[in-house]
Amino acid sequence: MNLTTGAILRRITEADLSAASHKLATVILDGIAWKDDYNGLERGTAAFTLAHLADKMGMSRQYLTALLAELGESTLELVRWKPNGKFAPWLFRFGAAEEDEILQDVVSATGDTSLSRDSRNKTIFVGKIEIGAASNVYHTPWADLIKAAKTSLACWNVDTQAIWDRFVAFNKARGNSAVPAGFLLGFMRKWRSSAGARTRSIADAKSRRAPDPSEQELHRLIKAAPSKNREFHASDLCRLIGQAAYDARVLDVVRQFGWPNFAAILAVHGRAVLAGEIPR
């Protein structure tokens, strides 16, 4: 059974939908991949951000959400999911696009055309990529493929040149002069872990900043009164100054530094130790 755009289009026209939902269904149909890895997608799926769909439809996000719900409850059984993170595009699939659920009378005849019949519509990474042959991705045959494939991946909103630069640097660091083209698609699919390196570097930069003086003071006081001895310190200090005075010291530290109650207790104990009021 050779499923084509024509088969799904007939399902759309036969479905009992509002005019706006019919239009939305055809917009989604237009982005469906009919061959694995077309635009980096699995066969039968399309990728859009809700903002992009709302812009194409010329409507609000709220109205768009209502239309998507209508398509989901219709005989088209539209489903959507987001596997690549909060800010990545949604993936869409018509339930009617499952081949084993399509009746013979709605399957396109052999005379129909489909996206998968024209190699120009396929996102296929074949051949070899010469690492460092060109620094500008738009001077290579890979720019359009990167742009098409990234639409459904975690790197969907990353500039094409930035993806190419990161890929080239990745392979240069490993001494690769040429790699199979499929490596580029695999690199893009793993972008989340690659981007994590940048996140870690930002975190490292933050950790190298000068520590807050209040945090330094907290660590100094806590170090003077280890937490494993806090019950003994509390008992000793309460016997010395009384429970009310003890509670007042803790409250004063909380108000002064905004530390949690547990940290404030340890700080009070540390001050008492350093002042010689109680033993360590």
Side-chain angles (χ1 to χ4, degrees), residues 9 70 129 173-174 179 233 236 251 259:
L9 185 59
E70 181 182 350
I129 296 178
R174 285 156 180 76
V179 296
H233 291 152
D236 292 343
L251 182 59
W259 295 336

Side-chain angles (χ1 to χ4, degrees), residues 1 6 9 18 22 28-29 38 43 45 65 122 139 151-152 203 207 241 262 264:
M1 189 176 296
L9 185 59
S18 64
H22 271 117
I28 294 174
L29 173 63
Y38 169 73
R43 184 178 187 273
T45 60
T65 301
K122 300 176 184 177
H139 294 166
T151 56
S152 65
S207 67
I241 65 175
F262 179 74

Side-chain angles (χ1 to χ4, degrees), residues 175-197:
N176 298 330
S177 58
V179 296
F183 281 23
L184 177 54
L185 181 59
F187 180 81
M188 294 169 64
R189 284 176 170 167
K190 295 180 180 179
W191 187 264
R192 188 178 307 185
S193 58
S194 297

Side-chain angles (χ1 to χ4, degrees), residues 54-72:
D55 183 62
K56 288 178 74 70
M57 293 291 294
M59 61 180 57
S60 67
R61 289 273 295 271
Q62 290 78 6
Y63 187 30
L64 174 67
T65 301
L67 295 183
L68 289 172
E70 181 182 350
L71 291 178

